[in-house]
């Protein structure tokens, strides 16, 4: 089998397939790159819950539950430290509007059977003394953690290599289709790579592979996110921040993710600007302004990196997993805001589909066929 795309989703698919005994190849000019190089790596099934996304919540929770074992297995396979921190998350409110929004989120979390605890502003500051005095309240979620996505991507490349995945470090230019079945790809240097099954896992680029019939192309679009990296003071006591802190400020999500190695990741914008990955003064300004309202002390920190990446957005914000409408072509894409969180479950789901031809129960709602023209024109009863 052949995987098109060497981001974390393509890599985990290739790793799991090779472990199941498939002769596995992966085509990507720079495996381990992609959105994971920019992502903050929050494992935020509870704090990123949105109205209307209860089905996605089930998959997010399934993946969050797998994380400790997944990290242990990948660490065992590679010797890599993945920067997995079971540190919890605090979502705070800065004004009355934010607080009302957070109360709504809390009610939704409770209706969904999730664990989160309402805290006063004072209780929030007791947990995180660097928070602004104006913080009006917050939600403590001890089950939402973090991982370093760059380390995760690097470890998955190593794991794939050790499991025997053949890497083709070039672009897949075109899917080959013979008598209505995907049979492989042709790469940018003209090499034909035949395969019994092709998994398209090219992130935001997944809708652009030539040769894929129009009605099968996944409806995935790029959603730009600008992210900053700062350096926290050398191991202070107490630490600068001990858990992920996030908020919705004037309608925009901002989060600060403190890594064990002293890096503080601040994200993220969400912009529908096509393929643009420019870091803009406005984007950096807004992130710093909002993060400063939460944690004024960030202005003292060195700003070490600014970068923009492209989330693979889908029409319902949920991934597309499993067989497409073209025999031989499977999809693992459209993970939008949850690619890092969904990596373990995606690997397991894709291995199951490759082996059995069927999606496991937990992944059935995420079949790409839900976007087929016939499914979209079906009227509710
Ligand atoms: N999950 C965080 C983001 O997409 O910005």
């Amino acid at each position: 089998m052949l995987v098109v795309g060497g981001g974390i989703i393509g890599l985990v698919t290739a790793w799991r397939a090779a472990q199941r005994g498939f002769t596995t190849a992966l085509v990507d000019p720079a495996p381990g790159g992609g959105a994971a190089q920019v992502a903050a790596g929050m494992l935020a099934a509870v704090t990123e819950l949105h109205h209307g996304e209860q089905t996605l919540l089930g998959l997010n929770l399934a993946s969050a539950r797998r994380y400790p074992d997944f990290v242990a297995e990948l660490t065992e396979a590679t010797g890599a430290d993945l920067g997995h921190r079971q540190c919890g998350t605090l979502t705070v409110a800065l004004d009355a509007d934010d607080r009302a929004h957070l109360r709504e989120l809390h009610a939704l979390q409770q209706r969904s059977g999730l664990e989160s605890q309402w805290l006063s502003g004072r209780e929030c500051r007791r947990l995180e003394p660097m928070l602004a005095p104006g913080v009006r309240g917050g939600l403590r979620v001890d089950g939402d953690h973090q991982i370093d996505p760059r380390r995760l991507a690097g470890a998955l490349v190593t794991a794939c290599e050790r499991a025997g995945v053949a890497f083709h470090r070039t672009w897949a230019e075109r899917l080959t289709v013979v008598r209505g079945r995907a049979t492989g790809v042709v790469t940018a240097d003209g090499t034909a790579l035949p395969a019994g099954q092709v998994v398209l896992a090219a992130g935001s680029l997944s809708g652009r592979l030539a040769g894929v019939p129009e009605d099968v192309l996944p409806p995935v679009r790029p959603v730009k996110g600008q992210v900053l990296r700062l350096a926290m003071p050398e191991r202070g006591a107490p630490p600068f921040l001990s858990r992920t802190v996030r908020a919705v400020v004037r309608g925009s999500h901002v989060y600060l993710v403190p890594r064990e190695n002293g890096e503080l990741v601040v994200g993220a914008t969400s912009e529908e600007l096509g393929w643009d990955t420019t870091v803009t003064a406005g984007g950096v300004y807004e992130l710093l302004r909002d993060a400063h309202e939460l944690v004024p002390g960030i202005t003292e920190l060195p700003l070490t990196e600014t970068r923009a990446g492209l989330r693979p957005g889908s029409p319902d914000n949920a991934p597309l997993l499993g067989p497409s409408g073209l025999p031989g072509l499977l999809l693992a894409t459209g993970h939008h805001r949850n690619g890092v969180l969904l990596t373990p479950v995606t690997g397991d789901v894709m291995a199951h589909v490759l082996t059995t031809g069927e999606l496991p129960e937990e992944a059935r709602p995420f079949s790409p066929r839900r976007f087929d023209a016939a499914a979209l024109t079906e009227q509710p009863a």
Side-chain angles (χ1 to χ4, degrees):
M1 60 85 59
L2 174 73
V3 179
V4 178
I8 51 176
I9 296 300
L11 288 165
V12 79
T13 301
W15 183 40
R16 292 308 196 196
Q19 286 180 321
R20 298 285 195 291
F22 286 92
T23 302
T24 305
L26 183 147
V27 56
D28 189 298
Q37 291 299 317
V38 181
M42 290 177 297
L43 308 176
V46 179
T47 40
E48 288 219 355
L49 176 62
H50 292 93
H51 283 282
E53 294 185 0
Q54 261 82 355
T55 311
L56 175 59
L57 172 67
L59 195 69
N60 285 344
L61 289 172
S63 207
R65 278 193 295 273
R66 282 168 162 85
Y67 241 100
D69 286 348
F70 175 78
V71 167
E73 186 185 350
L74 190 52
T75 302
E76 167 84 21
T78 63
D81 173 357
L82 305 178
H84 183 224
R85 278 191 73 194
Q86 297 186 292
C87 58
T89 298
L90 184 63
T91 307
V92 300
L94 286 165
D95 60 24
D97 283 352
D98 298 345
R99 195 162 58 176
H101 172 91
L102 216 52
R103 287 275 188 206
E104 279 279 311
L105 177 62
H106 191 212
L108 178 62
Q109 289 167 340
Q110 288 188 316
R111 279 199 302 280
S112 308
L114 303 171
E115 283 199 18
S116 73
Q117 185 191 357
W118 183 266
L119 301 183
S120 66
R122 185 174 300 180
E123 287 168 326
C124 290
R125 281 187 299 281
R126 205 174 298 141
L127 279 184
E128 295 295 344
M130 294 303 280
L131 280 174
V135 163
R136 305 276 292 265
L139 284 177
R140 175 177 177 167
V141 176
D142 287 341
D144 276 2
H145 304 308
Q146 59 155 302
I147 193 165
D148 185 334
R150 292 178 177 174
R151 294 188 189 191
L152 172 64
L156 284 169
V157 171
T158 304
C160 283
E161 283 167 349
R162 292 188 179 169
V165 174
F167 283 96
H168 298 272
R169 288 180 162 79
T170 179
W171 289 103
E173 194 151 278
R174 183 165 50 82
L175 184 77
T176 48
V177 179
V178 177
R179 287 192 289 280
R181 184 177 177 90
T183 57
V185 302
V186 176
T187 64
D189 58 12
T191 307
L193 300 175
Q197 304 192 76
V198 178
V199 177
L200 180 51
S204 57
L205 291 164
S206 300
R208 289 175 44 128
L209 182 63
V212 179
E214 191 72 26
D215 58 342
V216 175
L217 272 179
V220 173
R221 67 184 197 285
V223 181
K224 176 179 173 182
Q226 301 190 47
V227 175
L228 317 177
R229 283 172 165 79
L230 292 78
M232 293 182 291
E234 302 269 308
R235 306 191 180 277
F240 187 81
L241 286 180
S242 59
R243 71 201 72 224
T244 296
V245 170
R246 52 187 299 157
V248 179
V249 183
R250 287 176 290 271
S252 299
H253 290 266
V254 62
Y255 44 79
L256 295 89
V257 182
R259 298 227 195 285
E260 223 145 44
N261 65 3
E263 186 176 74
L264 181 67
V265 185
V266 177
T269 64
S270 188
E271 304 165 78
E272 303 272 357
L273 289 174
W275 303 100
D276 173 53
T277 51
T278 316
V279 174
T280 63
V284 174
Y285 166 72
E286 281 171 28
L287 288 172
L288 287 177
R289 179 196 63 197
D290 295 348
H292 172 257
E293 283 192 37
L294 293 186
V295 178
I298 62 154
T299 50
E300 307 296 324
L301 306 183
L303 175 62
T304 53
E305 189 184 316
T306 59
R307 196 142 165 199
L310 298 173
R311 306 176 184 88
S314 77
D316 58 6
N317 299 333
L320 290 79
L321 302 174
S324 73
L326 179 70
L329 179 68
L330 297 92
L331 302 179
T333 188
H335 291 69
H336 197 212
R337 301 182 73 93
N338 295 301
V340 179
L341 171 61
L342 288 173
T343 295
V345 77
T346 298
D348 292 347
V349 165
M350 295 311 292
H352 185 97
V353 180
L354 287 162
T355 311
T356 66
E358 302 281 340
L359 279 168
E361 185 66 36
E362 65 192 341
R364 295 225 170 112
F366 306 100
S367 163
R369 310 301 302 269
R370 71 191 187 275
F371 297 120
D372 285 359
L376 291 171
T377 52
E378 266 170 25
Q379 297 298 316

